[in-house]
């Protein structure tokens, strides 16, 4: 009882067939050519998706094809499985393997179906690999970790909040006190700045500006309207700065502040998340881990194999000729100065992704006059005592894909991100 459509009326060979189950979705053809079938799929949940099925008659015009993809702003949906999707089934020097089959999506697709992926299967008896696109349900990642947003510094409540928390008298050594105060400050910041994405607020202000400016057309000298317009434009500038800071927490740091290229930002954020999401991994035996629990187990077992392994202590350096001089030993053993500690805080990038504590370099630079003395005391204590509080060296390990189509855990490069204070002391 499935339904179908084909471009047989426009192509003698009928290269494109679109087949669907009407119990799951409905497909409406909007335009058809010899090389394409365009239409809209109505899913069971009421969502509509525009789809195009393309069969290129000539595969040599790749430059034109790439220009087309750039013009319509689509790129490959994150893929797993086979990279080369076509083979001429020959041997030796005559063998040819190519990636001819593609599953592409625009920014809108990546935003709505951020966890989708294309699986290129084994070709079987065909010379092409079949591809299935799964619209998987997002996995549950728990609550989002705290991340300091730079635009909070410009809020009139911020410095008072930091002074209030930092003025608390807490028990413990200098290192424990600093960690406790950061933990308390994080709780207060989360409670005070419960602001969502600033984009809706920005659009609301723009709508008000449009109304005021429409009224000014008939009465351009109205002092009240002119003042309202000026106030709204000023508010819009502040909200745009907030939005830029909000989006920069997503590790898009290559664009300079002030560009206000928010269309690019909004498109890049879901596209970046789409590429980096992991929802299946190939196990060493060739089978696939599909569920969240299975993927986590594969990753943990992989890193457990080489992280935390005991290093043998029987390595002798008695025969090693290069040794530290007396002056070098004195230099390494000397104390550290307040300026050196402060310089280490300033040396780290103010906008890089924070570690588990959520604070970045911009925060410490902004409040150094309030917290600097305590952090210097904490660093001095760390070097003077063989003691490290639990959680100080906590680390987030992020997996960044090395390739476009990632299959196994070896296709990912681990990046460690530790707490900011631990970076400074190490």
């Amino acid at each position: 009882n499935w339904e179908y459509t084909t471009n047989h009326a426009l192509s003698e060979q009928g290269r494109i067939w679109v087949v669907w189950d009407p119990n799951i979705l409905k497909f409406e053809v909007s335009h058809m050519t010899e090389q394409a079938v365009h239409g809209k799929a109505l899913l069971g949940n009421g969502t509509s998706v525009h789809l195009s099925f393309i069969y290129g008659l000539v595969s040599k015009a790749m430059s034109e094809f790439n220009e087309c993809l750039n013009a319509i702003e689509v790129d490959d949906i994150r893929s797993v499985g086979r990279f080369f999707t076509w083979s001429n089934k020959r041997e030796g020097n005559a063998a040819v393997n190519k990636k001819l089959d593609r599953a592409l999506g625009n920014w809108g697709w990546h935003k709505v179906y951020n966890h989708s992926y294309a699986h290129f299967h084994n070709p079987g008896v065909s010379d092409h690999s079949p591809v299935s696109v799964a619209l998987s349900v997002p996995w549950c990642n728990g609550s989002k970790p705290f991340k300091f947003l730079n635009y909070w510094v410009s809020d009139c409540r911020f410095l008072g909040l930091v002074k209030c928390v930092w003025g608390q008298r807490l028990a413990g050594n200098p290192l424990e006190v600093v960690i406790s105060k950061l933990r308390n400050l994080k709780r207060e910041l989360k409670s005070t700045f419960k602001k969502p994405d600033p984009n809706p607020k920005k659009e609301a202000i723009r709508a008000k500006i449009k109304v005021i400016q429409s009224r000014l057309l008939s009465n351009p000298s109205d002092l009240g309207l002119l003042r309202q317009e000026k106030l709204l434009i000023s508010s819009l500038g502040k909200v745009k700065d907030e939005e830029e800071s909000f989006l920069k927490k997503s590790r898009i740091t290559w664009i300079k502040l002030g560009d206000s290229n928010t269309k690019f930002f909004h498109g890049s954020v879901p596209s970046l998340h789409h590429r980096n999401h992991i929802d299946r991994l190939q196990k060493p035996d060739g089978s696939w881990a599909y569920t969240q629990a299975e993927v986590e187990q594969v990753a943990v077992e992989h890193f457990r194999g080489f992280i935390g392994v005991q290093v043998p202590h029987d390595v002798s350096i008695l025969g090693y000729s290069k040794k530290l001089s007396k002056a070098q030993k004195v230099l390494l053993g000397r104390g550290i100065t307040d300026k050196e500690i402060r310089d280490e805080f300033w040396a780290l990038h103010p906008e890089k992704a924070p570690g588990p504590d959520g604070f970045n370099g911009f925060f410490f630079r902004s409040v150094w006059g309030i917290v600097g003395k305590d952090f210097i005391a904490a660093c001095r204590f760390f070097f003077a005592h063989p003691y490290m509080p639990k959680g100080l060296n906590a680390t987030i390990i992020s997996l960044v894909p090395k390739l476009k189509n990632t299959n196994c855990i070896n296709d990912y490069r681990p990046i460690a991100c530790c707490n900011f204070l631990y970076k400074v002391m190490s």
Side-chain angles (χ1 to χ4, degrees):
N1 297 320
W2 283 35
E3 298 179 2
Y4 71 94
T5 186
T6 174
N7 68 337
H8 225 299
L10 299 166
S11 171
E12 208 172 290
Q13 294 178 311
R15 297 281 190 175
I16 305 173
W17 292 65
V18 181
V19 187
W20 65 92
D21 185 348
N23 294 319
I24 299 176
L25 59 87
K26 181 181 180 182
F27 183 72
E28 299 176 351
V29 177
S30 58
H31 186 64
M32 191 178 293
T33 69
E34 186 182 15
Q35 298 186 89
V37 173
H38 306 285
K40 181 171 67 173
L42 303 174
L43 306 182
N45 60 1
T47 306
S48 63
V49 182
H50 293 275
L51 301 172
S52 293
F53 302 90
I54 312 294
Y55 188 98
L57 298 180
V58 181
S59 62
K60 294 181 179 180
M62 293 306 297
S63 60
E64 293 181 6
F65 177 69
N66 289 329
E67 289 173 4
C68 171
L69 298 187
N70 291 332
I72 63 177
E73 297 183 350
V74 296
D75 58 1
D76 289 281
I77 295 173
R78 185 172 48 85
S79 61
V80 297
R82 301 178 67 92
F83 178 76
F84 297 111
T85 64
W86 176 85
S87 169
N88 63 356
K89 301 293 185 180
R90 297 181 184 177
E91 300 178 357
N93 293 333
V96 178
N97 293 280
K98 291 186 176 182
K99 183 176 178 61
L100 294 183
D101 306 273
R102 312 278 290 274
L104 306 163
N106 60 9
W107 284 358
W109 174 275
H110 295 323
K111 183 177 181 179
V112 178
Y113 299 105
N114 195 253
H115 295 79
S116 63
Y117 60 90
H119 191 162
F120 290 89
H121 303 270
N122 292 326
V125 298
S126 174
D127 55 354
H128 283 270
S129 294
V131 54
S132 59
V133 178
L135 309 182
S136 58
V137 178
W139 286 349
C140 178
N141 296 319
S143 59
K144 291 185 178 181
F146 168 81
K147 288 185 179 180
F148 182 81
L149 300 182
N150 292 354
Y151 72 84
W152 289 346
V153 172
S154 59
D155 191 286
C156 60
R157 299 168 291 177
F158 174 72
L159 287 179
L161 194 65
V162 176
K163 290 178 181 177
C164 180
V165 172
W166 226 256
Q168 298 172 354
R169 297 182 64 87
L170 302 176
N173 61 61
L175 195 53
E176 292 173 335
V177 168
V178 162
I179 294 175
S180 297
K181 287 183 177 180
L182 283 177
R183 190 180 300 116
N184 294 342
L185 180 60
K186 178 164 53 177
R187 183 172 58 250
E188 293 298 326
L189 289 173
K190 290 172 67 176
S191 175
T192 303
F193 299 105
K194 292 182 178 179
K195 292 184 179 179
D197 184 347
N199 186 57
K201 184 179 178 181
K202 181 189 69 175
E203 296 306 321
I205 295 176
R206 279 182 170 166
K208 291 179 181 179
I209 292 175
K210 185 177 181 180
V211 172
I212 295 296
Q213 291 178 342
S214 298
R215 294 170 62 185
L216 279 169
L217 287 174
S218 57
N219 195 359
S221 60
D222 189 307
L223 188 60
L225 293 176
L226 289 171
R227 288 176 177 173
Q228 288 183 54
E229 180 191 34
K230 185 177 180 180
L231 184 62
L232 286 170
I233 291 175
S234 176
S235 300
L236 179 62
K238 292 179 181 179
V239 174
K240 288 172 71 176
D241 290 341
E242 290 181 9
E243 183 184 43
E244 194 170 70
S245 177
F246 177 86
L247 292 171
K248 284 182 80 68
K249 76 174 184 178
S250 301
R251 300 186 182 181
I252 303 176
T253 58
W254 59 79
I255 195 164
K256 293 182 180 179
L257 283 170
D259 284 355
S260 296
N261 198 343
T262 51
K263 180 181 178 182
F264 167 81
F265 268 135
H266 281 291
S268 297
V269 170
S271 181
L272 181 67
H273 290 172
H274 172 76
R275 287 198 307 272
N276 292 342
H277 180 70
I278 305 174
D279 48 25
R280 62 169 50 191
L281 285 174
Q282 195 168 29
K283 300 177 182 179
D285 61 1
S287 62
W288 288 87
Y290 292 94
T291 67
Q292 183 173 358
E294 289 177 332
V295 169
E296 290 175 354
Q297 183 179 0
V298 170
V300 169
E301 290 177 353
H302 172 77
F303 288 105
R304 186 178 287 158
F306 60 87
I307 293 181
V309 178
Q310 290 287 341
V311 178
H313 295 284
D314 57 350
V315 179
S316 176
I317 60 172
L318 295 177
Y320 190 67
S321 59
K322 295 183 178 180
K323 297 181 180 181
L324 293 176
S325 65
K326 187 175 181 180
Q328 289 173 328
K329 292 178 181 179
V330 172
L331 179 64
L332 290 175
R334 70 170 179 81
I336 54 175
T337 65
D338 293 355
K339 184 179 182 302
E340 285 177 321
I341 296 175
R342 186 261 188 197
D343 289 345
E344 285 302 313
F345 277 93
W346 257 251
L348 297 176
H349 198 288
E351 292 168 354
K352 285 294 185 181
D357 61 355
F359 292 99
N360 60 15
F362 187 80
F363 164 78
F364 292 104
R365 294 188 185 190
S366 303
V367 298
W368 189 254
I370 303 172
V371 307
K373 185 178 179 180
D374 286 345
F375 274 97
I376 289 174
C379 291
R380 287 189 175 281
F381 179 86
F382 174 80
F383 286 107
H385 300 82
Y387 170 72
M388 181 181 294
K390 184 179 180 181
L392 177 63
N393 63 339
T395 303
I396 296 175
I397 297 179
S398 300
L399 301 179
V400 179
K402 303 176 187 176
L403 312 169
K404 279 193 173 181
N405 61 319
T406 51
N407 293 327
C408 61
I409 191 67
N410 288 326
D411 293 334
Y412 291 88
R413 175 168 54 93
I415 295 180
C417 187
C418 56
N419 286 326
F420 198 91
L421 181 60
Y422 183 73
K423 292 180 187 177
V424 171
M425 294 188 297
S426 59

